Amino acid sequence: MVTQPCSWPLVRRKKRTFKFDEEHNLGDTITVELFNGTEFVDVVGTSKGKGFQGVVKRHGFGGVGQSTHGQDDRLRKPGSIGACSYPAKVFKGMRMGGQMGGDRVTTQNLRVLKVIPEHNLILVKGSVAGCNGSTVLIEK
């Protein structure tokens, strides 16, 4: 929630090409007045990266047997991942540990609460993917 206008200078770190319904010339400044009268928007952002995670955190596994049957040293392991001699491979798409987060996430139909053109702010209700200060794309 923003309680006061931003005091730091706006740094343009990314350049992007957009298509508009109305006519704009090269070098025109686009402000949040574009969203006046808009009730819902879609917000696209990059989710927070969480690094390499195991199957319990990444896919919600409960561990081997939910820590029963004497499994004292493998509580957070995935368990069996494939068959024996046939087909003698691990199928693609098997849920295993790996990189988590850092994906492009679109949150649809967020309600526009307020558009403040004096400070070039738009307030939306709902969750927006990404860390604080990250760049997001707002679509009508």
Side-chain angles (χ1 to χ4, degrees), residues 31-60:
T31 62
V32 294
E33 293 177 353
L34 185 72
F35 294 100
N36 280 336
T38 304
E39 192 172 346
F40 294 99
V41 293
D42 298 341
V43 179
V44 181
T46 303
S47 63
K48 290 182 179 181
K50 294 171 176 57
F52 192 97
Q53 299 299 323
V55 292
V56 173
K57 185 168 189 176
R58 189 173 186 213
H59 298 293

Side-chain angles (χ1 to χ4, degrees), residues 19-126:
K19 292 183 180 180
F20 293 97
D21 296 334
E22 56 272 354
E23 188 65 33
H24 291 285
N25 295 323
L26 186 64
D28 285 352
T29 302
I30 308 297
T31 62
V32 294
E33 293 177 353
L34 185 72
F35 294 100
N36 280 336
T38 304
E39 192 172 346
F40 294 99
V41 293
D42 298 341
V43 179
V44 181
T46 303
S47 63
K48 290 182 179 181
K50 294 171 176 57
F52 192 97
Q53 299 299 323
V55 292
V56 173
K57 185 168 189 176
R58 189 173 186 213
H59 298 293
F61 284 15
V64 175
Q66 276 72 22
S67 72
T68 60
H69 302 291
Q71 303 290 334
D72 58 346
D73 60 343
R74 24 179 119 55
L75 301 181
R76 298 176 67 89
K77 302 293 184 195
S80 177
I81 60 170
C84 190
S85 61
Y86 181 80
K89 64 178 182 178
V90 177
F91 290 111
K92 285 186 179 179
M94 180 64 62
R95 295 181 298 170
M96 301 177 106
Q99 291 290 325
M100 188 174 167
D103 301 322
R104 179 183 166 105
V105 177
T106 302
T107 308
Q108 295 182 329
N109 297 328
L110 294 180
R111 184 179 299 277
V112 176
L113 298 179
K114 196 172 192 181
V115 176
I116 308 171
E118 304 88 48
H119 302 295
N120 204 24
L121 292 176
I122 180 170
L123 301 178
V124 295
K125 181 178 182 178

